[in-house]
Amino acid sequence: MNVMRNYIISNYKKEIEVWNIEPALNRALQFAVADGLCEMTSTKKYKLTEKGESFYNSIIESESFTKEVEFLKFVGKNKITDSRIDEMTKQWKLQYVENK
């Protein structure tokens, strides 16, 4: 988490050698949809349902996952946007794929 935190603080200027989507993420999203915690929107994005919001609030209010909650609060909804992800992907490809 510290590597990503420092990358964000640098306004995405520092190099980040490797980043990827955790393969288990797709499985977790499938389970979350199946359990009614989230749903896919017409624009192919995931959105919490009322049940998901309730689950989220119970996690935030508990004392579990304190480091993870702190990190996610730091990142916030607006720091890593879809356009930022696209930009990071392009930058990574230029630096680590096309030049190697």
Side-chain angles (χ1 to χ4, degrees), residues 7-22:
Y7 184 61
I8 293 168
I9 290 171
S10 76
N11 197 25
Y12 310 91
K13 303 285 188 237
K14 289 185 176 184
E15 285 192 28
I16 186 166
E17 291 185 17
V18 177
W19 63 276
N20 67 342
I21 301 297
E22 174 61 40

Side-chain angles (χ1 to χ4, degrees), residues 20-41:
N20 67 342
I21 301 297
E22 174 61 40
L25 177 61
N26 287 337
R27 180 68 60 167
L29 286 170
Q30 289 173 340
F31 284 132
V33 169
D35 199 34
L37 297 173
C38 66
E39 60 192 10
M40 188 179 288
T41 67

